[in-house]
Amino acid sequence: MSAAASAGTWKLGDLEVNRIGYGAMRLTGNGMRGNSDGTPIDRNAAVGLLHRAFEQGVNHIDTAAFYFSPLRSANEIINRALSSWHGDVVVVTKVGPTRDPSGEWLSTVRPDQLRGQVEENLRQLGRDYLDVVNLRAGGPRTASIAEHFGALAELRDAGLVRHLGLSAVLPEHVAEAQTIAPVACVQNSYGLDRRRADESGLVDLCGEQGIAFVPFFAISGLRREAAAGQEQDARVRSVARAHHATPAQVRLAWTLHRGPHVLAIPGTRNPAHLAENIAAGALRLTDEEMALLDKPDESTGWA
């Protein structure tokens, strides 16, 4: 069994993947907010990192055309890595937000502009169709996603997309989308420090409907695009010591313990951290440890 398979598998539509995947946002040397001051990651090193992930069983990558910095594009690096890899890897991308070539954020696209975004991902990834495309909504305050999701459903019917998903949504958005086309996965910010998807019932709803729930910022939490800082939660440190694990591994393990339909897509540029993240799938927390971690942190709380 590969390391990434230790947490089991789930299906994105009809595509079975190991529950430990990889998020490509950090491959460009910056985050979604367009921070471009860091040294660009070496292309060969980035390709090598992806190959190391594949060798350890990662067969699910999360990306987007708007993951880029002045000299690097996540999709371009993934394209290069997959062109020299012979195994099957499911690539999940997202549309909705957009940046101009200089990196400035633009308004969310209209439904009729989504085809252009899908085609942009196809060109960059070098594919004839996309495995999964997530519609990233404008946030929980978005009243309706019907027009945008309907436009993607038409692209699925045209053969450009295999499966559809949602990102940054509420349960009512999932219900609305399900009346238009099947939803394969839902991506929301979720972790020990940010559990709004529990409060809204979204995590459980996805499990009941067989939809993969794919949290982002599961390690960085409230730091969002920033790299995870020194662990401040004493409970996490305590559980980590008991398992001779890192706090990041405990956070990932807690996320995976939320249900067999919950996937993880931690991203990193560090080969050692990559191996640690993948190994977190084998970490088994006790009921007592889960109960301890499930309680809000009295010092910071969670939202």
Side-chain angles (χ1 to χ4, degrees):
M1 176 187 295
S2 67
S6 60
T9 64
W10 194 259
K11 285 188 175 182
L12 299 172
D14 64 344
L15 303 171
E16 187 169 2
V17 298
N18 292 325
R19 291 175 63 208
I20 292 282
Y22 179 84
M25 185 180 70
R26 299 190 188 282
L27 273 184
T28 67
N30 74 333
M32 284 199 328
R33 295 189 182 278
N35 306 311
S36 305
D37 296 333
T39 302
I41 186 170
D42 179 81
R43 278 191 175 88
N44 291 332
V47 170
L49 184 74
L50 288 178
H51 283 172
R52 293 179 76 157
F54 301 156
E55 290 164 358
Q56 294 175 72
V58 169
N59 57 4
H60 162 216
I61 297 181
D62 176 76
T63 186
F66 51 80
Y67 289 173
F68 67 87
S69 59
L71 298 177
R72 298 292 182 267
S73 156
N75 279 356
E76 179 267 329
I77 292 172
I78 291 170
N79 184 341
R80 184 175 294 195
L82 291 177
S83 68
S84 53
W85 180 258
H86 301 295
D88 293 328
V89 177
V90 174
V91 179
V92 180
T93 189
K94 61 188 72 66
V95 295
T98 186
R99 296 163 69 188
D100 67 20
S102 68
E104 292 297 320
W105 287 98
L106 305 175
S107 300
T108 300
V109 299
R110 303 186 309 269
D112 63 301
Q113 295 174 308
L114 288 174
R115 183 182 185 108
Q117 286 199 327
V118 166
E119 291 174 342
E120 180 182 22
N121 278 278
L122 288 169
R123 285 190 298 270
Q124 293 177 356
L125 291 166
R127 296 199 157 192
D128 296 322
Y129 66 87
L130 300 174
D131 295 324
V132 184
V133 172
N134 289 325
L135 172 64
R136 174 125 178 139
R141 296 181 181 179
T142 303
S144 173
I145 61 169
E147 288 190 42
H148 285 79
F149 198 74
L152 288 181
E154 292 178 0
L155 298 178
R156 189 194 67 153
D157 294 341
L160 297 183
V161 179
R162 189 164 179 175
H163 298 293
L164 301 177
L166 298 168
S167 179
V169 293
L170 292 173
E172 50 263 38
H173 297 130
V174 178
E176 184 179 38
Q178 289 275 58
T179 66
I180 299 170
V183 175
C185 55
V186 172
Q187 278 191 2
N188 272 43
S189 175
Y190 179 75
L192 269 173
D193 301 327
R194 190 175 182 85
R195 306 187 203 173
R196 290 178 179 171
D198 279 335
E199 296 169 357
S200 69
L202 183 59
V203 177
D204 292 334
L205 172 69
C206 287
E208 293 164 2
Q209 297 192 16
I211 299 171
F213 182 77
V214 190
F216 52 87
F217 301 147
I219 296 177
S220 59
L222 298 177
R223 293 175 62 86
R224 296 174 59 81
E225 288 87 356
Q230 184 175 1
E231 183 58 61
Q232 300 297 315
D233 193 319
R235 302 165 307 161
V236 175
R237 295 198 304 269
S238 174
V239 174
R241 286 194 299 270
H243 288 272
H244 303 287
T246 68
Q249 287 177 314
V250 171
R251 286 178 174 272
L252 285 174
W254 177 87
T255 302
L256 292 168
H257 277 61
R258 281 292 289 114
H261 66 296
V262 179
L263 278 57
I265 49 171
T268 181
R269 297 165 55 181
N270 185 312
H273 290 168
L274 173 70
E276 290 174 356
N277 291 342
I278 295 172
L283 184 59
R284 301 292 182 259
L285 304 180
T286 67
D287 291 342
E288 292 76 13
E289 288 168 337
M290 283 296 294
L292 173 67
L293 295 171
D294 279 339
K295 296 178 182 179
D297 183 355
E298 294 180 358
S299 64
T300 61
W302 48 263

